[in-house]
Amino acid sequence: MVTRFAPSPTGFLHIGGARTALFNWLYAKHTGGRFLLRIEDTDRARSTDAAIAAILDGLQWLGLDWEGEPVFQFARAERHKEVAYQLLESGNAYRCYSTPEELEAYRAEADAARKALSEAKKAGASAEEIARLEAALAAKPRVFSSPYRDGRTPPAPDAPFVIRLKAPREGETVVEDEVQGRVQWANKDLDDMVLLRSDGTPTYMLAVVVDDHDMGITHVIRGDDHLTNAARQKQIYNAMGWDVPTFAHIPLIHGPDGAKLSKRHGALGVDAYRAMGYLPDAMRNYLARLGWGHGDDEIFTTAQAADWFDLDAIGRSPSRFDFAKLENLNGVYIRNTPDAELVRYIREVLPTLEDADYFCARANENTWQQLEAAMPGLKERAKTIKELVKSAEYLVATLQPIEARGDLNASNSTISGVTIVADRVPIQPDEKAAKILSPEARKHLAALHQRFAALETWDVASIEAATRAYAEETGAKLGNIAQPLRAAATGRTVSPPVFDVLAVLGRDEALARIADQAG
RNA sequence: GCCCCCUUCGUCUAUCGGUUAGGACGCAAGAUUUUCAAUCUUGAAAGAGGGGUUCGACUCCCCUAGGGGGCGCCA
C-alpha cells in the first residue's frame, strides 16, 4: 500500500489538509505501507517557497513523517508532456485549436440559452416557443464539445493548440470509492479535459494521474472536493491502460457554524494551533476523531489509531470543527504528559507561542527547573500550553525582562549564556489580588513571615503545617490566610495550591515576596 | 442551471432490521476544596419532513427540504 499527501503550496497547511495527511499517514501505518509527499507546485504564479516550508514544518510538528524526498510536481513537467503526446499518438487525445476567447464565448452562449429558457417559462411563453428554446439549449450543452475532436482542420498550420483527452461520449464512468461507495457519472456530462496547455505545460488533471501512477500510489485519500476529479482522472488512467488506484474521498471539515471553514474559525495554519498551545499528540487524536471513529474510543495513542484505522469506518458527512472539544482533549494530554517532557516542549515552542512574551523575556536557567517543579500544579489547570505558561508567570514575576537587564551593571551574572539579574522587582498585584491584600491580611503576612523564617525545612508539608497552626491559633479561617499568601506570592487570586507555589519559589524568594506585601 | 455527495442529542460520534437509541465534549445541579482547576455523582439533550418495503425500521428504497462539493488552458 502506498499513500500520499499532495498539497499545493499556495498557502499554509490548514486543518483540513492536516487531517487528510493524517488519514493517509494512518492508513500507510495500518497497512505497513508507505506514505509519500508530493508538492503540487505547477501553478508557478501562486506557489511560494514560504508555503512549502510552512507545509513541511506543519507536517513535522504533527509528527507525520513521509518517506524519502518530497516529489516536486513542476520538475516532472517533461514526463507529463510525454504522456500527453503518447495519448495523442494512441488516438486517445487530440489537438484542440479553440482559443480561450472562443471557449468563453461558447460558455456565454450556453448560459444565455439557459437563461432565455428559464425566463420564457417564467413569463408563460407558448409551448412552441419553449420547445424551440429547449432545442436551442440542447444544441449548446454546458459541457464544451470541441469541433476539433473529430479532425476539423486547424485554422492555420502553426496555430496554437491544447491537447485534450478524447473522453468517451457514451456510457458511464464509475468510481468505486471506499468512502462514498459506488458513484457514477454519465459521460455526456464530462467534457474533454485539457491535458496540455497551449504553452506546453501540463494541467493538474494530467500531472496528478501521471505522478500517482509513477509513484506507485495505490490509495488516493483526499478531500471530497476531488470526487468529480476522480471520474475525470479515471478516464486518463483508462486511456493509458494504467491500473486505477483505490479512491477514498473524505468529507470536508466545516466551521462551527456549518459553513465552509473560514479564517475566523478553523481555517488556520497548523502553526496557529501550535501558537495557541495545542500539543501535536492532542491535535492528532482530535483530527482522527473528526470523520473517523472506532466504537466509543475517544482518547487513544497514535499506535492504537494506526492499528484501528480503516477506510470503511470513515463517515460520509462533513463534520464541524469544535474548539471546546479540542481544548478538553488537549487538557487531558497535558495532564498525561510527564513534567520534564512538557518543559522540554515549552522551551522548544516558547518563541512561537502566543502571549508568552512576558515569560519568555524573563526566563532563565533557574526558571526551567522551577517550572518543572511547579508543573504538577500547573498542568492540572491548563487546557493549552499558552494557558500553562500564562499561569507560570508568577515564577518570573520579580525578574527584570531581558531588554531591561542591559541597563543594569555589575550585579548581573551569567549562567549558560543567560544574564541573571540580581535586582528583584516587587510584584505588582493585579486588581483582585490587591483587594485581598487588606491591612488585616498584611498583618497576617507579617506574622507568617516570622514563622516561615523560623522553619527548619522548606517544603510543602512544613509550610502548610506552619500555616494551619497559625490559622488555628488566631482562629482565622484557612481561606482568609491562604488567599493573602497567594496574592503576595503570585500577585493574583488564582494559582496552583499556594503551599506548592511557596515551596517551588524557594525559601529566599518566597520570604522576599511575603515581605514585599507584609504590613 | 446541470452533475455528484451528505442529513442520529448544540458538537464529534456508536448502532451495520428487533437497544429503555450508547459514549465523549459542552451545558445544568451536587460532592470535594486554601483560589482556580482537576476528580466523582446526577440530570437535560437526537434519528430533517413525507411516503413506501417489512411481523418489525435510525438502519433498505423513493420524494421533498436543508447543507456541501464540482462544472477552467487553477490546484
Side-chain angles (χ1 to χ4, degrees), chain A residues 171-192:
Chain A
E172 290 171 332
T173 293
V174 178
V175 170
E176 296 286 354
D177 193 278
E178 290 296 303
V179 173
Q180 306 291 340
R182 181 190 175 91
V183 187
Q184 47 187 226
W185 290 262
N187 285 145
K188 68 174 173 55
D189 294 328
L190 267 17
D191 62 4
D192 292 346

Side-chain angles (χ1 to χ4, degrees), chain A residues 30-265:
Chain A
H30 176 74
T31 58
R34 304 192 291 144
F35 170 64
L36 309 181
L37 181 62
R38 182 173 72 231
I39 305 294
E40 308 214 315
D41 56 348
T42 52
D43 185 343
R44 302 315 287 169
R46 295 198 300 148
S47 295
T48 66
D49 288 343
I52 292 172
I55 289 165
L56 300 186
D57 180 54
L59 290 173
Q60 271 157 359
W61 176 68
L62 278 169
L64 305 182
D65 51 316
W66 58 92
E67 193 178 294
E69 289 300 309
V71 170
F72 287 86
Q73 192 161 63
F74 181 67
R76 296 177 36 81
E78 279 309 309
R79 164 65 177 152
H80 303 147
K81 192 172 181 175
E82 178 188 310
V83 171
Y85 276 91
Q86 230 171 294
L87 251 13
L88 194 60
E89 273 163 39
S90 65
N92 287 298
Y94 61 92
R95 290 184 177 84
C96 171
Y97 296 88
S98 295
T99 64
E101 292 73 31
E102 285 166 356
L103 272 172
E104 206 176 314
Y106 176 85
R107 289 182 182 125
E109 283 172 36
D111 288 345
R114 193 181 65 230
K115 198 180 264 179
L117 176 62
S118 76
E119 272 172 13
K121 277 183 179 168
K122 209 180 288 176
S126 66
E128 237 170 49
E129 176 69 357
I130 286 174
R132 193 185 62 80
L133 288 169
E134 273 172 351
L137 182 57
K140 286 210 179 298
R142 186 63 173 80
V143 289
F144 174 67
S145 178
S146 171
Y148 300 96
R149 179 182 162 108
D150 300 314
R152 183 204 275 199
T153 48
D158 59 346
F161 61 88
V162 299
I163 294 181
R164 283 183 188 273
L165 183 77
K166 196 167 187 175
R169 284 279 169 79
E170 313 281 314
E172 290 171 332
T173 293
V174 178
V175 170
E176 296 286 354
D177 193 278
E178 290 296 303
V179 173
Q180 306 291 340
R182 181 190 175 91
V183 187
Q184 47 187 226
W185 290 262
N187 285 145
K188 68 174 173 55
D189 294 328
L190 267 17
D191 62 4
D192 292 346
M193 76 202 96
V194 173
L195 303 173
L196 208 65
R197 302 188 186 96
S198 51
D199 65 359
T201 61
T203 60
Y204 161 81
M205 214 62 83
L206 204 221
V208 168
V209 171
V210 174
D211 288 348
D212 280 340
H213 172 264
D214 289 359
M215 289 165 76
I217 304 299
T218 61
H219 293 255
V220 173
I221 305 168
R222 78 235 291 201
D224 72 7
D225 49 337
H226 286 284
L227 187 56
T228 313
N229 289 341
R232 308 165 67 97
Q233 287 163 202
K234 188 178 177 186
Q235 294 181 333
I236 301 179
Y237 281 102
N238 288 158
M240 284 303 290
W242 288 342
D243 285 341
V244 181
T246 300
F247 288 110
H249 288 91
I250 61 180
L252 268 18
I253 298 174
H254 290 173
D257 55 358
K260 206 177 170 182
L261 225 38
S262 80
K263 277 196 184 167
R264 268 182 306 111
H265 28 255

